[in-house]
Amino acid sequence: MGAQDELELVSDGEEYTLHAAGDGTHFLLRFKPDGLAADLSGEDAERFRADYDAVKSQFPDWSSDQVLAQLWDQGGYSWLAAQDG
């Protein structure tokens, strides 16, 4: 069983997916077109959870892709990404 097996799909869009541990301590943010993923745990996961909640509450009508793109680009999580798989 890999780490991803423990993560549940939280958000799935055309370009991005987000998987998370039930306790919010581990996230996997994927950018599908480039085959990249940011594996977030520890302090990165804590910061991501806060940023994700903030963007979702600030822009409640945004689609999954809009929220995750905002975090990927403006939130800087793309810097933590590596080739997926």
Side-chain angles (χ1 to χ4, degrees):
M1 252 196 190
Q4 185 181 339
D5 295 331
E6 304 164 9
L7 302 178
E8 295 181 20
L9 182 64
V10 173
S11 187
D12 189 12
E14 291 292 315
E15 296 188 340
Y16 295 90
T17 60
L18 177 63
H19 291 81
D23 60 3
T25 60
H26 186 191
F27 295 91
L28 185 64
L29 174 58
R30 282 199 170 95
F31 180 52
K32 298 177 189 180
D34 290 346
L36 296 173
D39 193 349
L40 309 167
S41 58
E43 289 180 8
D44 291 330
E46 289 175 28
R47 183 171 65 95
F48 180 83
R49 184 175 54 216
D51 291 348
Y52 181 74
D53 290 343
V55 171
K56 283 193 63 91
S57 65
Q58 212 174 353
F59 304 101
D61 296 332
W62 275 13
S63 71
S64 171
D65 273 342
Q66 287 174 302
V67 169
L68 297 177
Q70 175 74 13
L71 293 165
W72 186 262
D73 294 329
Q74 304 303 315
Y77 292 97
S78 60
W79 288 98
L80 301 173
Q83 279 303 125
D84 192 18

